[in-house]
């Protein structure tokens, strides 16, 4: 058979590939609504944000009037003015993410491994994890103002244990903001870890114990590596929204705990300084993308990117 004949009857031109082409066409058709949604509500706003970040005020114009330009100095001015708030946002987000991991991992392990084979108990524990979603994000955050109020039992107990000075307080402090972030994003950490641990074959843990490995060694060499996809996913789902959050800092903090999301909100809606707000939004987005990429590569789960 000649080469031309072979190509003419090859896999790229024969009737056998028609179902494959139809399958590809169906896949593109299924992707079309999602791509259109992303294009309309993500790509277009991001482009508008980039363009707005380079605007300059209209000479002699009123407050909030800007004209198209290529003023890259907006980024320098925004960073030089608001870098403390930007660094504080990442610091709070990191602390809240670590705290959520330390709280959420044992919860996920208990539900997925210890409660395995007990469907009712497992279901009830999962309901408790997702129960905060049944109430508003704002209401949950406001509730923390009551929990950490000066007359609350939490403050009274800390004062009784001498962990808090007699005139000390928790409201309007960094502790309150981080506590709110940790609580509000805890389910986003717990559920991905649970999904990974739920697929864990417990016979592998038993095999480690049969080989005389201690409990900590079995966890470090078997359980933790197998649950890393869930840990990485939960970390990203917690860190990313916590970095840009402003509700917790507004309701639970004060002027010394201002986060970058609060600054962006203020520049957009109170001062009408759109270029600075847009520049800060772009910087926050790029910084999160760089940090997430470095974290995923460091943790060895590049397939998540």
């Amino acid at each position: 058979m000649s080469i031309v004949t072979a190509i003419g009857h090859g896999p790229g031109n024969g009737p056998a590939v028609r179902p494959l082409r139809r399958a590809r066409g169906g896949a593109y058709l299924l992707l079309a609504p999602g791509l259109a949604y992303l294009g309309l509500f993500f790509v277009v706003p991001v482009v508008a944000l980039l363009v707005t970040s380079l605007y300059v005020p209209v000479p002699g114009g009123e407050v909030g009037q800007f004209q198209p330009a290529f003023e890259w100095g907006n980024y320098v001015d925004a960073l030089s003015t608001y870098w403390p708030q930007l660094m504080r946002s990442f610091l709070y987000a990191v602390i809240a993410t670590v705290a959520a991991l330390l709280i959420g991992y044992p919860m996920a392990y208990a539900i997925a491994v210890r409660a395995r084979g007990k469907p009712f108990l497992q279901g009830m524990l999962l309901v408790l994890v997702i129960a905060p979603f049944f109430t508003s994000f704002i209401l949950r955050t406001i509730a923390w103002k009551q929990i950490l109020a000066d007359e609350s039992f939490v403050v009274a107990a800390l004062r009784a244990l001498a962990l808090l000075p007699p005139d000390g307080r928790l409201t309007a402090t960094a502790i309150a903001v981080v506590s709110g972030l940790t609580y509000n994003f805890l389910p986003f950490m717990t559920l991905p870890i649970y999904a990974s641990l739920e697929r864990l074959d417990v016979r592998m843990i038993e095999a480690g114990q049969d080989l005389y490995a201690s409990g900590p060694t079995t966890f470090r060499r078997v359980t933790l590596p197998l649950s890393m996809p869930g840990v990485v996913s939960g970390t990203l789902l917690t860190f990313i929204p916590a970095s840009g959050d402003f509700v917790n800092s507004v309701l639970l903090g004060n002027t010394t705990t201002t986060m970058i999301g609060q600054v962006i909100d203020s520049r957009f809606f109170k001062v009408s300084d759109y270029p600075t707000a847009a520049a800060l939004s772009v910087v926050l987005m790029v910084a999160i993308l760089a940090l997430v990429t470095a974290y995923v590569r460091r943790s060895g789960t590049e397939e998540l990117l």
Side-chain angles (χ1 to χ4, degrees), residues 28 80 156 216 248:
Y28 291 138
S80 60
N248 287 277

Side-chain angles (χ1 to χ4, degrees), residues 103-146:
I103 299 171
Y105 197 101
M107 291 171 56
Y109 183 85
I111 299 172
V113 179
R114 293 300 182 184
R116 187 173 297 181
K118 302 173 183 175
F120 179 77
L121 176 61
Q122 202 170 37
M124 289 299 297
L125 292 174
L126 280 175
V127 169
L128 292 177
V129 171
I130 64 175
F133 290 134
F134 298 157
T135 57
S136 166
F137 186 90
I138 302 293
L139 291 178
R140 296 201 306 267
T141 307
I142 292 176
W144 272 89
K145 295 184 69 174
Q146 302 300 321

Side-chain angles (χ1 to χ4, degrees), residues 55-58 62-68 272-275:
Y55 278 9
V56 295
V58 175
E62 299 179 355
V63 176
Q65 286 188 328
F66 297 92
Q67 62 185 7
S272 299
D273 185 4
Y274 307 128

Side-chain angles (χ1 to χ4, degrees), residues 13-290:
N13 297 303
V17 300
R18 291 175 183 170
L20 179 60
R21 289 179 176 175
R22 284 198 294 269
R24 287 179 179 175
Y28 291 138
L29 192 62
L30 292 173
L31 286 172
L35 293 176
Y37 182 88
L38 287 176
L40 184 61
F41 295 106
F42 178 73
V43 177
V44 173
V46 168
V47 172
L49 204 63
L50 290 170
V51 173
T52 305
S53 68
L54 302 177
Y55 278 9
V56 295
V58 175
E62 299 179 355
V63 176
Q65 286 188 328
F66 297 92
Q67 62 185 7
F70 291 97
E71 183 54 57
W72 296 99
N74 290 340
Y75 285 89
V76 178
D77 296 338
L79 280 176
S80 60
T81 305
Y82 299 108
W83 68 267
Q85 289 83 355
L86 184 64
M87 293 297 103
R88 186 181 299 127
S89 298
F90 288 133
L91 176 62
Y92 287 176
V94 168
I95 295 175
T97 302
V98 173
L101 178 61
L102 294 178
I103 299 171
Y105 197 101
M107 291 171 56
Y109 183 85
I111 299 172
V113 179
R114 293 300 182 184
R116 187 173 297 181
K118 302 173 183 175
F120 179 77
L121 176 61
Q122 202 170 37
M124 289 299 297
L125 292 174
L126 280 175
V127 169
L128 292 177
V129 171
I130 64 175
F133 290 134
F134 298 157
T135 57
S136 166
F137 186 90
I138 302 293
L139 291 178
R140 296 201 306 267
T141 307
I142 292 176
W144 272 89
K145 295 184 69 174
Q146 302 300 321
I147 295 173
L148 302 178
D150 295 342
E151 63 277 7
S152 67
F153 73 95
V154 174
V155 174
L158 292 176
R159 287 173 178 168
L161 294 173
L163 297 177
L164 197 66
D167 58 345
R169 58 182 312 186
L170 294 178
T171 53
T173 63
I175 296 176
V177 177
V178 173
S179 299
L181 289 172
T182 304
Y183 169 74
N184 281 314
F185 296 110
L186 183 60
F188 295 98
M189 176 68 77
T190 305
L191 293 177
I193 298 175
Y194 163 77
S196 290
L197 290 173
E198 201 273 336
R199 296 192 297 268
L200 176 67
D201 190 346
V202 294
R203 290 176 299 182
M204 301 186 71
I205 300 177
E206 296 171 354
Q209 295 170 345
D210 292 341
L211 294 173
Y212 301 102
S214 62
T217 302
T218 303
F219 174 78
R220 181 169 54 86
R221 302 295 295 272
V222 178
T223 307
L224 183 59
L226 292 176
S227 62
M228 276 307 292
V231 172
V232 174
S233 300
T235 301
L236 298 181
L237 290 175
T238 304
F239 175 77
I240 293 174
S243 302
D245 181 81
F246 69 96
V247 175
N248 287 277
S249 60
V250 169
L251 297 178
L252 302 175
N254 56 25
T255 55
T256 63
T257 61
T258 303
M259 298 176 66
I260 196 64
Q262 198 173 344
V263 175
I264 294 173
D265 174 73
S266 174
R267 305 310 297 183
F268 255 123
F269 298 108
K270 296 179 181 177
V271 188
S272 299
D273 185 4
Y274 307 128
T276 301
L280 289 173
S281 300
V282 173
V283 169
L284 178 64
M285 185 169 55
V286 172
I288 289 177
L289 183 61

